[in-house]
Amino acid sequence: MNLSRVTLILALFVAVLLTACGSGGGVRNTVAYGQNLPAPDTSTASGLYQGGTDYRIGAQDLLEISVFGIDELNKSVRVNSNGQISLPLIGGVMAGGQTIPALEKTIAGKLAEGYLQHPEVSVFVKEFTSQRITLEGEVKKPGIYRITGKITLLQAIATGEGLTDLADTGGVVLFREVNGKRMAAAFDLSTIRSGQSPDPQVYGDDVIVVEKSGSKSALRQLLMVLPAIGLFKAL
């Protein structure tokens, strides 16, 4: 997502939330607190793999593939821009878009076609380089950054070399897509740093916007609606 789209989403988000709050609308049904923040959609490659079965492999991910009992077939391989990997004996395999169990089954099936009997294949994601986050606002180096594993909100901001002197530590908004809906949560970094609040996990495609202290921007209006307690509401 580019930064101009972030600005547009922010403006629309503020308008919708202010209207909903003023009319007693139904945004409460989409709220989650603290450590129960919803993860992003898992039907696409936006969700960061945590050992489950629903992560979709993306281009440039680094995979470690092993075949039980046959060390010669064990290999670390990076997914190319077309989603393909190349393996001993079986050659090219389409990995992009597949879940981990699906790719294991695909590789095992190809090895069973004339090479091995009942092969046991394991796939492990060593680097999630298809994952990106966006940092906007009062961070020293705004931009789009790759993430290669689990990362928290504080770690994500550190990736952009931290906050500027003008940043409002209580004015951090995280945008995420959950179940097909654009959502947002507000956080106070001072309470996270002190251990009073959990440091939430950040996922691929998340957008983090840091407000300027004392400003009267659209983001400030959003923060009036979203107290800095890790509150998600839908756009």
Side-chain angles (χ1 to χ4, degrees), residues 147-227:
I147 54 177
T148 59
K150 284 188 177 182
I151 187 172
T152 67
L153 180 60
L154 288 181
Q155 291 170 334
I157 290 174
T159 300
E161 298 191 4
L163 304 178
T164 70
D165 293 337
L166 300 177
D168 178 0
T169 59
V172 179
V173 176
L174 174 63
F175 292 91
R176 176 176 299 164
E177 187 155 316
V178 181
N179 297 324
K181 296 181 180 179
R182 179 62 55 177
M183 306 187 78
F187 296 92
D188 185 337
L189 295 187
S190 63
T191 64
I192 295 175
R193 287 168 175 161
S194 66
Q196 299 177 58
S197 301
D199 189 6
Q201 184 173 344
V202 174
Y203 294 81
D205 293 339
D206 279 356
V207 176
I208 300 165
V209 184
V210 180
E211 171 67 318
K212 183 177 181 180
S213 181
S215 72
K216 297 181 180 180
S217 65
L219 181 58
R220 176 60 58 191
Q221 297 180 57
L222 175 61
L223 290 168
M224 293 173 63
V225 181
L226 292 178

Side-chain angles (χ1 to χ4, degrees), residues 60-72:
Q60 303 306 315
D61 282 356
L62 181 62
L63 308 180
E64 186 174 277
I65 298 171
S66 58
V67 181
F68 180 74
I70 308 178
D71 293 342
E72 293 80 3

Side-chain angles (χ1 to χ4, degrees), residues 52-177:
T53 61
D54 46 18
Y55 173 73
R56 302 279 174 167
I57 295 167
Q60 303 306 315
D61 282 356
L62 181 62
L63 308 180
E64 186 174 277
I65 298 171
S66 58
V67 181
F68 180 74
I70 308 178
D71 293 342
E72 293 80 3
L73 296 182
N74 298 344
K75 187 176 183 180
S76 291
V77 59
R78 193 172 297 279
V79 182
N80 69 21
S81 58
N82 296 320
Q84 293 269 350
I85 58 175
S86 182
L87 298 174
L89 297 182
I90 59 177
V93 177
M94 175 57 71
Q98 292 209 57
T99 63
I100 304 302
L103 181 57
E104 290 173 341
K105 185 176 180 180
T106 297
I107 296 172
K110 288 181 176 293
L111 288 172
E113 295 175 356
Y115 298 104
L116 302 173
Q117 289 187 343
H118 310 296
E120 295 182 27
V121 178
S122 296
V123 176
F124 175 73
V125 183
K126 295 178 68 175
E127 292 182 7
F128 306 90
T129 50
S130 62
Q131 306 297 310
R132 291 175 175 81
I133 58 172
T134 300
L135 299 180
E136 236 275 53
E138 293 302 317
V139 290
K140 291 180 180 178
K141 286 195 173 181
I144 299 173
Y145 293 87
R146 283 184 176 182
I147 54 177
T148 59
K150 284 188 177 182
I151 187 172
T152 67
L153 180 60
L154 288 181
Q155 291 170 334
I157 290 174
T159 300
E161 298 191 4
L163 304 178
T164 70
D165 293 337
L166 300 177
D168 178 0
T169 59
V172 179
V173 176
L174 174 63
F175 292 91
R176 176 176 299 164
E177 187 155 316

